[in-house]
Amino acid sequence: EAGVVQSPRYKIIEKKQPVAFWCNPISGHNTLYWYLQNLGQGPELLIRYENEEAVDDSQLPKDRFSAERLKGVDSTLKIQPAELGDSAVYLCASSSHGTSPYEQYFGPGTRLTVT
Amino acid sequence: QQQVKQSPQSLIVQKGGIPIINCAYENTAFDYFPWYQQFPGKGPALLIAIRPDVSEKKEGRFTISFNKSAKQFSLHIMDSQPGDSATYFCAASIIPGSARQLTFGSGTQLTVLP
């Protein structure tokens, strides 16, 4: 079974530029999560999707961050414009309603550096 | 109330030693306590998990001890190996709706010396 795929793995951009991250979850997983992981910290949830619906986006900074999950499969997380403080690893995870207790499987993440 | 506090921040042991990582929580609604292992450049991977109705769970060399009254839980790694060198995160979880919501600790960087 293929794991969660994320791309790109690394991204370096200048501040004020836009950036997008892509995630392909494990096949059949209904739930998709985007997390932010700052250096030396645990992941923090940004947004959770159930199929194509964003059911928890309370921690997503909506002034500059947006996300979508078309057709309930792949997802894209966008930042526009990026700020220096956005430098972090962005992790995608997925889980299945059929798996008890809904374990989350993480991708390798995208390391973003904003200069 | 959603916070999970983890200690120590870093830990160095000799091969064969038993590193212990501790976590504490406040929210009594948490009903599931997983530990994740993360290697550099990789995402966190589930290592072992425990429910609050059990005081201890062992899987291979990894053991979780859980103290419900104290709202604390810990990870013990028996006969630690250099390959165990990684960052370990505790987490606590509830189920809002149909999926788990994980709250992570801040992580412990473990180094096992050969």
Side-chain angles (χ1 to χ4, degrees):
Chain A
E1 180 181 76
V4 176
V5 179
Q6 291 188 247
S7 68
R9 292 295 314 278
Y10 306 91
K11 189 73 176 180
I12 301 174
I13 61 171
E14 295 182 346
K15 62 181 181 182
K16 300 185 181 179
Q17 294 301 306
V19 64
F21 315 124
W22 175 80
C23 173
N24 178 239
I26 293 173
S27 177
H29 280 196
N30 315 82
T31 310
L32 184 145
Y33 312 76
W34 282 103
Y35 286 88
L36 166 70
Q37 186 175 25
N38 286 306
L39 185 65
Q41 297 294 319
E44 300 173 29
L45 182 68
L46 288 172
I47 188 168
R48 172 169 65 94
Y49 281 93
E50 291 293 336
N51 299 305
E52 63 274 4
E53 182 183 0
V55 296
D56 183 359
D57 63 355
S58 57
Q59 301 303 311
L60 189 72
K62 298 180 184 62
D63 57 336
R64 297 183 301 108
F65 286 66
S66 64
E68 61 182 7
R69 190 183 184 196
L70 299 177
K71 299 181 181 179
V73 182
D74 295 359
S75 178
T76 302
L77 178 68
K78 298 178 181 178
I79 307 175
Q80 182 171 7
E83 299 179 352
L84 293 176
D86 296 332
S87 295
V89 175
Y90 292 83
L91 293 164
C92 179
S94 68
S95 66
S96 168
H97 294 175
T99 302
S100 178
Y102 312 105
E103 294 309 329
Q104 296 182 28
Y105 297 84
F106 285 82
T110 296
R111 180 176 295 278
L112 173 67
T113 301
V114 182
T115 63
Chain B
Q1 253 200 338
Q2 294 294 323
Q3 200 173 18
V4 177
K5 295 182 180 180
Q6 183 173 346
S7 64
Q9 187 176 1
S10 62
L11 190 54
I12 300 174
V13 299
Q14 295 285 342
K15 177 183 175 182
I18 305 176
I20 300 172
I21 305 170
N22 301 298
C23 285
Y25 64 98
E26 290 295 327
N27 188 350
T28 55
F30 287 139
D31 67 345
Y32 187 69
F33 301 87
W35 285 88
Y36 283 81
Q37 180 187 55
Q38 186 175 28
F39 293 103
K42 304 290 186 183
L46 179 66
L47 191 62
I48 185 173
I50 197 168
R51 304 296 295 264
D53 53 347
V54 176
S55 61
E56 184 175 281
K57 183 174 182 181
K58 183 176 181 180
E59 287 185 2
R61 296 184 293 108
F62 300 93
T63 299
I64 300 179
S65 297
F66 188 84
N67 186 329
K68 188 175 181 178
S69 60
K71 292 186 284 187
Q72 295 175 348
F73 58 110
S74 59
L75 176 71
H76 299 61
I77 305 176
M78 308 301 176
D79 186 27
S80 59
Q81 301 296 312
D84 295 330
S85 298
T87 300
Y88 292 81
F89 293 95
C90 63
S93 167
I94 58 175
I95 302 182
S98 60
R100 289 209 164 267
Q101 182 164 312
L102 287 171
T103 299
F104 285 86
S106 56
T108 296
Q109 188 169 354
L110 172 66
T111 302
V112 181
L113 301 175

